[in-house]
Amino acid sequence: MKLRFDYNNMMTSAIGSHGIAPSVIDKAQKAHVAAFKEVIDNSGKGWQEWTETPLIDEKAVAELNEFGKEIRDKASSFVVLGIGGSALGPICVFNALLHLHHNELPEKMRKAPKIYVEDNIDPVRMSSLLDVIDVKTSYFNVITKSGETSETLSQFLILYNMLKKAVGEKEAKEHIIVTTTIGKGALYACAEKEGFKVFGIPSGVGGRFSVLSNVGLVPFAVMGVDIDSMLYGARAMREACERPDIKSNPALMTAFLQVKSMEAGKNISVMMPYADGLKTMADFYCQIWAESLGKAVDKAGKKVNCGQTPAKSLGVTDQHSQVQLYTEGPFDKVVTFIGVESFGDNVDIPSDETADIGNFLKGHTMGELLTAERKSTEFALTKAGRSNFTILMPEINAETVGELLMYFMYETAFAGAYLGIDTFNQPGVEEGKKATFAMIGRAGYEEKLKELESLEKKAEYIIK
């Protein structure tokens, strides 16, 4: 394991009465054993098939890389159509591992197609995409586990229709790659009929836990990401998260500290990476934490309305927009910093007489300044008695990104086990999906439409 986890600033020794005493950790041994046992005993079973995703065999990886190169050599643009976990995983990995201005690079420097991940159905966004891609030379990866996701299917219908008009029906089929559950759903049936290339998603891998399945691996292979190293890192983290001792298991420890913080009224979890390449990693975290832990009832059916609201922040940008609240506002937050020790690229701040200003900065690097800013924010929060801990990455590469993604998944699973909830369902999301089907007029949802119509807003509560 390359990542390091520093939770000193969660403890009473650092932040006083707002922290957690070592005795609290020690006295909760039964809870640790139970949470650990629940997750590890169910590894690879039911909705925990995601724990097996890093164990894909070498032959399958080689086939993915071969397919990825084939598309990479032909495509001018590669477009991922998906939403939620079908988009956030690819987005955060591309942000971390590709050039931050990948699409703007000259083709020779890119060595891969332009990449677009379309995770919303704003019509202006679709029109804007069509303004910048050449449909004739673009390839489209349609991702939906259920094969029934309204947003993704609408995108597919629009673009497949355009493709057929642009290149003809036979060639259009070659430009569509489907990632879905094999044998289930409307998209799979369509793919079989049309002859699209299909990659499967294991039945026990939910969307927000799917980044290391074909949901992520197919687009990563197309874009030339080192998926071998990413999976190696994920396996290393998997091994660390299978350690039974909480003091050597990073995900079990931080999950417990977060749950104890929730019990103390700290119902907001801020994810604050100090690297632009990790900016969208906070989006990935926000989804997995919110959808997994925000539940109305526990497994016994008791009303709990539990969860911790995730918030995203970026160092140092949001030191100038949010940190004032974190240091002096309510004691209702835990801040997780992600620090990077080596940025690979670095930029020197000139030490000559370029300008008679900022002399204290001269001779340093931007990486030094960024690290100093992170440590100073940790210091300020700690001095103010605010809960925070730091994940340290030696550098951002495929291996460490694989570790980080796997850590987030295990931390979430352990937190759900401590809370006694079903971490892997999403009844609140499903209700919204059903309402959408009803409003669009899908057959079989007539009763839901009647329910919606009965909730028609009263005119007297509308301001015009």
Side-chain angles (χ1 to χ4, degrees):
M1 185 178 69
K2 298 288 179 65
L3 271 57
R4 291 183 289 131
F5 299 82
D6 182 349
Y7 61 94
N8 276 286
N9 296 339
M10 296 291 290
M11 309 301 289
T12 51
S13 56
I15 58 173
S17 61
H18 291 285
I20 296 167
S23 60
V24 171
I25 300 173
D26 295 337
K27 290 177 181 178
Q29 189 59 31
K30 286 185 179 178
H32 304 327
V33 171
F36 179 80
K37 182 177 174 58
E38 179 175 331
V39 174
I40 301 305
D41 283 1
N42 289 296
S43 181
K45 304 173 186 175
W47 284 104
Q48 280 191 215
E49 284 190 51
W50 56 268
T51 60
E52 308 298 294
T53 53
L55 306 182
I56 180 174
D57 62 64
E58 292 181 5
K59 181 182 177 182
V61 172
E63 289 173 354
L64 276 168
N65 283 327
E66 183 179 352
F67 174 79
K69 185 178 186 307
E70 179 186 332
I71 301 300
R72 185 163 64 249
D73 290 345
K74 295 188 291 187
S76 62
S77 296
F78 187 71
V79 183
V80 173
L81 306 177
I83 197 165
S86 298
L88 288 170
I91 287 171
C92 74
V93 170
F94 291 144
N95 183 225
L97 299 180
L98 300 183
H99 191 285
L100 287 177
H101 297 286
H102 173 84
N103 286 358
E104 298 166 43
L105 289 173
E107 188 174 348
K108 287 184 179 179
M109 290 183 67
R110 274 193 282 113
K111 298 180 181 179
K114 293 182 178 180
I115 178 69
Y116 300 93
V117 182
E118 298 301 302
D119 63 345
N120 208 348
I121 51 169
D122 184 331
V124 175
R125 179 167 177 170
M126 177 58 74
S127 296
S128 299
L129 173 70
L130 296 172
D131 286 339
V132 297
I133 67 169
D134 181 354
V135 173
K136 294 179 181 178
T137 54
S138 296
Y139 286 73
F140 301 89
N141 188 188
V142 190
I143 309 175
T144 158
K145 177 179 170 59
S146 68
E148 306 282 348
T149 307
S150 302
E151 299 88 349
T152 305
L153 294 184
S154 70
Q155 295 172 325
F156 160 71
L157 289 169
I158 292 164
L159 290 164
Y160 188 41
N161 182 60
M162 293 189 69
L163 268 171
K164 288 194 287 186
K165 290 178 179 177
V167 299
E169 188 166 346
K170 182 179 179 181
E171 187 178 338
K173 298 176 190 299
E174 298 174 5
H175 289 245
I176 300 292
I177 303 153
V178 166
T179 308
T180 192
T181 303
I182 301 295
K184 293 184 179 180
L187 182 61
Y188 179 79
C190 176
E192 285 285 280
K193 181 180 178 182
E194 297 291 322
F196 302 146
K197 176 70 174 178
V198 179
F199 289 90
I201 305 173
S203 59
V205 176
R208 56 191 180 272
F209 290 86
S210 66
V211 61
L212 297 175
S213 72
N214 283 331
V215 167
L217 296 183
V218 172
F220 300 159
V222 170
M223 296 305 295
V225 170
D226 184 354
I227 58 178
D228 296 85
S229 293
M230 183 178 295
L231 293 171
Y232 179 85
R235 289 193 296 272
M237 181 55 67
R238 183 180 187 269
E239 291 176 9
C241 294
E242 289 181 340
R243 299 170 186 165
D245 179 9
I246 189 171
K247 293 180 181 177
S248 63
N249 184 323
L252 189 63
M253 176 61 81
T254 58
F256 177 72
L257 296 176
Q258 289 281 27
V259 169
K260 296 307 292 183
S261 297
M262 291 181 217
E263 292 174 2
K266 295 171 185 173
N267 292 318
I268 299 172
S269 176
V270 179
M271 182 58 58
M272 193 170 188
Y274 271 72
D276 275 56
L278 298 175
K279 181 178 181 178
T280 54
M281 194 65 72
D283 295 271
F284 177 86
Y285 171 80
C286 282
Q287 187 208 13
I288 198 169
W289 202 246
E291 279 200 339
S292 299
L293 304 185
K295 300 295 163 64
V297 297
D298 64 15
K299 285 187 174 181
K302 180 183 176 183
K303 200 83 167 175
V304 291
N305 294 114
C306 71
Q308 191 183 39
T309 302
K312 55 185 178 180
S313 187
L314 177 66
V316 299
T317 300
D318 289 314
Q319 286 178 209
H320 298 267
S321 65
Q322 298 178 28
V323 167
Q324 172 62 34
L325 173 67
Y326 302 164
T327 54
E328 296 191 358
F331 285 83
D332 60 354
K333 301 171 191 68
V334 177
V335 178
T336 303
F337 296 105
I338 307 180
V340 178
E341 295 176 300
S342 174
F343 292 93
D345 291 334
N346 216 336
V347 179
D348 294 329
I349 302 170
S351 57
D352 60 18
E353 297 303 317
T354 301
D356 188 18
I357 191 173
N359 291 329
F360 66 95
L361 296 169
K362 293 177 179 179
H364 293 285
T365 67
M366 293 192 80
E368 285 181 280
L369 180 58
L370 185 59
T371 298
E373 297 260 19
R374 171 177 57 81
K375 290 181 177 179
S376 68
T377 306
E378 292 176 29
F379 167 76
L381 289 180
T382 303
K383 184 177 179 180
R386 311 300 168 131
S387 299
N388 67 91
F389 70 93
T390 300
I391 302 168
L392 283 168
M393 300 177 74
E395 61 182 302
I396 301 172
N397 58 34
E399 183 180 343
T400 58
V401 166
E403 283 192 21
L404 186 61
L405 292 168
M406 206 65 184
Y407 158 74
F408 283 143
M409 289 188 266
Y410 269 100
E411 182 194 34
T412 303
F414 284 134
Y418 276 117
L419 290 167
I421 59 169
D422 186 338
T423 311
F424 306 103
N425 68 355
Q426 50 184 53
V429 176
E430 295 304 321
E431 183 66 18
K433 288 182 180 179
K434 293 173 185 176
T436 298
F437 290 152
M439 285 189 280
I440 294 297
R442 184 171 182 174
Y445 291 84
E446 292 80 9
E447 290 302 312
K448 182 60 64 178
L449 182 60
K450 290 178 183 178
E451 184 183 347
L452 285 162
E453 290 171 344
S454 72
L455 297 174
E456 187 175 350
K457 294 181 175 64
K458 302 291 190 296
E460 60 264 35
Y461 298 119
I462 297 176
I463 298 173
K464 296 182 179 179

